[in-house]
DNA sequence: ACTGTGACGAGGG
DNA sequence: GCCCTCGCCACAG
């Protein structure tokens, strides 16, 4: 823990910077980390973030704005509910007006 | 050390 | 423009 040299830790660090009501994609995080081709790893990293309460994994979706990871949230619509509580509308597992809510770490953190 | 894996993404049919 | 296939690479067993 506290080992920022780990890829997973870097992913968590970026996730913590995602503002409320904003969302980003696995690929965007991967790209920011300089590993654009490791988008799948980002998703897998979130799998290990279950214990971490300070990592808003619900704000990370795929490039289409679809809540692909909602099945890993335990509840059937837990992820969607978390997003809507932040003001992000979700229609049929897809974020409404995705581009408006999109938060690009490359633009915001670079 | 080797293999499988996976909450993705891009390209081709 | 949708559907299928392939590539991708860090991590767990």
């Amino acid at each position: 823990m506290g080992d920022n040299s780990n890829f997973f830790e870097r992913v968590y660090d970026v996730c913590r910077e995602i503002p409320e009501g904003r969302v980003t994609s696995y690929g965007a995080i991967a790209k920011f980390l300089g590993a654009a081709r490791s988008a799948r790893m980002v998703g897998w990293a979130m799998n290990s973030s279950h214990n971490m309460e300070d990592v808003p994994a619900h704000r990370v979706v795929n490039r289409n704005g679809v809540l692909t990871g909602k099945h890993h949230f335990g509840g059937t619509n837990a992820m969607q509910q978390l997003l809507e509580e932040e003001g992000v509308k979700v229609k049929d597992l897809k974020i409404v007006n995705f581009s408006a809510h999109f938060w690009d770490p490359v633009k915001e953190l670079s």
Side-chain angles (χ1 to χ4, degrees):
Chain A
M1 309 211 303
D3 190 349
N4 291 31
S5 63
N6 290 333
F7 185 81
F8 280 26
E9 287 296 328
R10 294 188 207 173
V11 173
Y12 303 149
D13 197 46
V14 176
C15 289
R16 293 189 191 99
E17 299 302 317
I18 305 175
E20 282 192 16
R22 305 294 293 280
V23 293
T24 190
S25 68
Y26 305 97
I29 295 174
K31 187 175 182 180
F32 174 75
L33 295 177
R37 297 166 187 168
S38 301
R40 308 176 83 193
M41 285 298 93
V42 176
W44 196 9
M46 309 309 286
N47 209 16
S48 297
S49 74
H50 277 226
N51 291 325
M52 323 188 73
E53 299 176 1
D54 56 337
V55 178
H58 61 281
R59 296 182 190 143
V60 185
V61 297
N62 73 349
R63 72 175 188 89
N64 294 316
V66 180
L67 281 55
T68 52
K70 75 119 189 174
H71 192 69
H72 282 267
F73 253 79
T76 45
N77 61 336
M79 185 175 182
Q80 175 172 339
Q81 200 155 28
L82 283 170
L83 286 171
E84 291 188 335
E85 286 176 4
E86 296 184 1
V88 179
K89 300 289 172 68
V90 177
K91 179 70 174 181
D92 192 32
L93 299 182
K94 185 177 180 182
I95 294 178
V96 179
N97 202 0
F98 180 50
S99 58
H101 291 288
F102 186 72
W103 180 85
D104 190 353
V106 177
K107 289 172 59 180
E108 304 292 339
L109 297 180
S110 57

